[in-house]
Amino acid sequence: MLKLSDSVLELPFVGERYATLLKKLEIKTIENLLHHYPARYENYALISKIDRLQPGEMATVIGQISEFKYQPTRKQNFSIQQAQLADDTGELKLTWFNQRFLNSVIKPGIRISVAGTVEKEGNRFTMKNPEYEVIKQPTLIHTGRLVPVYSETKGVSSRWIRSRLALALGILDWYQRKYDVTSQIIDWLPNNIVQEEKLINLSEALRTIHFPEYQNELEKARERLGFDELLKMQLAAVWRKREWRKNRKSLIVTSRKTEIDKFINHLPFKLTHDQEKVIEDILDDMKKNTPMNRLLQGDVGSGKTVVAAMAVFMTVKA
């Protein structure tokens, strides 16, 4: 049974070579793979008949390959692969560059879905280097939808990552149905928080962030995963602050009112109410045996330096 904690090596078609490459993307486990979120999306959701295509639009076309040919060129390490895609309204010319492996993938007679930017050459429509997928199952993952594009590394393309993600999610769902178990993607957020914040559950968010059907679904997934990220950062900060206060001690700095008044009276200007309040808060912190951790914020010229100088002065006096 495939588990989230399993190495990516447990996925079909992922060998040692790919596992090594994935480490560069900080992907070691199935769970790491699910949390490798897309950097952006290509909108190939428009599925069009060939006679309805418009130059410049991004579209998906589904049809049958009527012709495929490989064209070597005089340039070393440069080749052209061309195909004709036909539906019941016309033909679309397809051109790929330096993708010789297509010779064994795309053959006359197969049904295929292609997606890309439509161009017009003379009176013919064409696509150059389009995304493609041979239609073997009803669900499209590289065309005909919002298509995720990921951070990549040499040897690992977005297309490869999409295929492995679809496979991983499919296997997890299959085990869930076969053994009648709950999803392995356990939501770490309490249900009351999910409901109060009107968020979707984690399992739905992870599936949707990779393969959204609609833009509004994608926004809900982003909102949920963004909430998780910010909350984890806040919790980590709170934990660090608690450990810091518990394990670190500081010297107590006491201040005498006469010395404070003397310092203030020698200033060539009068302190504002905000400055006086901040100085009071800082001096109170310095009387404690836990380290002070403050951020003094203000516009340029608002008087931050004199507040800091007062703290330094009282430290020296102590």
Side-chain angles (χ1 to χ4, degrees):
M1 181 173 177
L2 188 68
K3 300 186 294 295
L4 294 181
S5 58
D6 285 344
S7 166
V8 288
L9 284 167
E10 297 300 318
L11 272 178
F13 313 114
V14 179
E16 291 287 352
R17 174 177 172 271
Y18 276 111
T20 300
L21 293 174
L22 288 172
K23 286 180 182 178
K24 297 179 181 180
L25 298 172
E26 298 183 358
I27 298 173
K28 299 179 182 178
T29 66
I30 304 299
E31 188 170 21
N32 294 156
L33 181 63
L34 294 182
H35 285 280
H36 186 67
Y37 306 141
R40 60 185 177 87
Y41 298 82
E42 296 287 4
N43 191 349
Y44 296 141
L46 174 64
I47 300 178
S48 176
K49 292 288 188 179
I50 293 175
D51 68 345
R52 302 293 298 274
L53 294 173
Q54 298 295 323
E57 72 180 359
M58 296 181 72
T60 294
V61 178
I62 299 173
Q64 188 173 42
I65 295 294
S66 58
E67 181 184 349
F68 183 87
K69 58 183 178 181
Y70 163 71
Q71 291 184 333
T73 66
R74 293 181 179 180
K75 293 183 181 179
Q76 190 175 8
N77 298 323
F78 184 77
S79 62
I80 300 173
Q81 293 73 39
Q82 289 187 330
Q84 295 292 335
L85 178 72
D87 66 9
D88 56 358
T89 69
E91 286 194 332
L92 174 67
K93 179 182 176 183
L94 308 173
T95 303
W96 291 274
F97 304 104
N98 291 332
Q99 298 192 39
R100 298 184 183 185
F101 64 90
L102 290 178
N103 300 353
S104 60
V105 177
I106 300 177
K107 298 179 181 297
I110 66 169
R111 280 183 59 76
I112 192 174
S113 175
V114 296
T117 302
V118 179
E119 299 179 23
K120 198 164 188 180
E121 295 178 352
N123 59 352
R124 301 180 63 188
F125 290 116
T126 182
M127 284 185 185
K128 294 176 181 176
N129 282 328
E131 281 284 356
Y132 69 91
E133 55 189 312
V134 178
I135 299 177
K136 296 180 180 178
Q137 54 189 13
T139 303
L140 299 173
I141 62 172
H142 304 298
T143 59
R145 62 181 309 128
L146 288 171
V147 176
V149 179
Y150 298 89
S151 297
E152 303 171 354
T153 189
K154 187 176 181 180
V156 178
S157 66
S158 286
R159 182 184 182 87
W160 188 92
I161 294 172
R162 280 195 296 271
S163 297
R164 299 294 82 73
L165 274 163
L167 186 59
L169 289 169
I171 293 174
L172 290 172
D173 288 343
W174 182 83
Y175 277 120
Q176 186 177 341
R177 292 192 303 269
K178 181 175 175 63
Y179 297 105
D180 192 24
V181 294
T182 56
S183 173
Q184 290 190 51
I185 304 173
I186 299 173
D187 204 328
W188 69 286
L189 275 184
N191 191 52
N192 64 310
I193 294 180
V194 174
Q195 292 179 349
E196 287 173 10
E197 299 297 330
K198 299 179 180 178
L199 302 170
I200 62 176
N201 64 55
L202 182 59
S203 178
E204 183 182 353
L206 285 175
R207 284 168 167 79
T208 303
I209 200 70
H210 296 295
F211 300 109
E213 292 292 332
Y214 306 103
Q215 186 68 37
N216 63 329
E217 290 182 353
L218 175 57
E219 294 307 318
K220 289 179 181 179
R222 281 174 164 167
E223 182 181 5
R224 169 58 207 267
L225 296 173
F227 183 92
D228 283 15
E229 185 176 354
L230 289 174
L231 181 56
K232 287 177 181 178
M233 289 171 61
Q234 290 288 347
L235 290 173
V238 169
W239 182 84
R240 283 196 303 269
K241 185 175 182 180
R242 186 189 66 180
E243 292 298 304
W244 187 58
R245 286 185 169 180
K246 183 172 68 175
N247 298 320
R248 297 183 63 182
K249 302 297 180 183
S250 65
L251 295 175
I252 294 174
V253 176
T254 56
S255 52
R256 292 184 292 274
K257 188 176 186 307
T258 54
E259 291 175 335
I260 296 172
D261 291 341
K262 185 177 180 181
F263 180 91
I264 292 174
N265 291 335
H266 276 79
L267 294 173
F269 52 82
K270 183 175 174 59
L271 294 178
T272 66
H273 173 73
D274 287 339
Q275 286 173 315
E276 291 175 345
K277 179 65 171 63
V278 170
I279 288 173
E280 183 181 341
D281 290 342
I282 289 174
L283 294 178
D284 283 344
D285 273 357
M286 292 169 68
K287 294 174 185 177
K288 301 172 184 176
N289 65 352
T290 55
M292 178 173 62
N293 184 20
R294 283 185 172 273
L295 172 66
L296 186 59
Q297 182 175 327
D299 294 334
V300 174
S302 62
K304 299 184 295 294
T305 303
V306 73
V307 173
M310 175 61 134
V312 173
F313 174 74
M314 295 313 301
T315 303
V316 172
K317 282 293 183 180

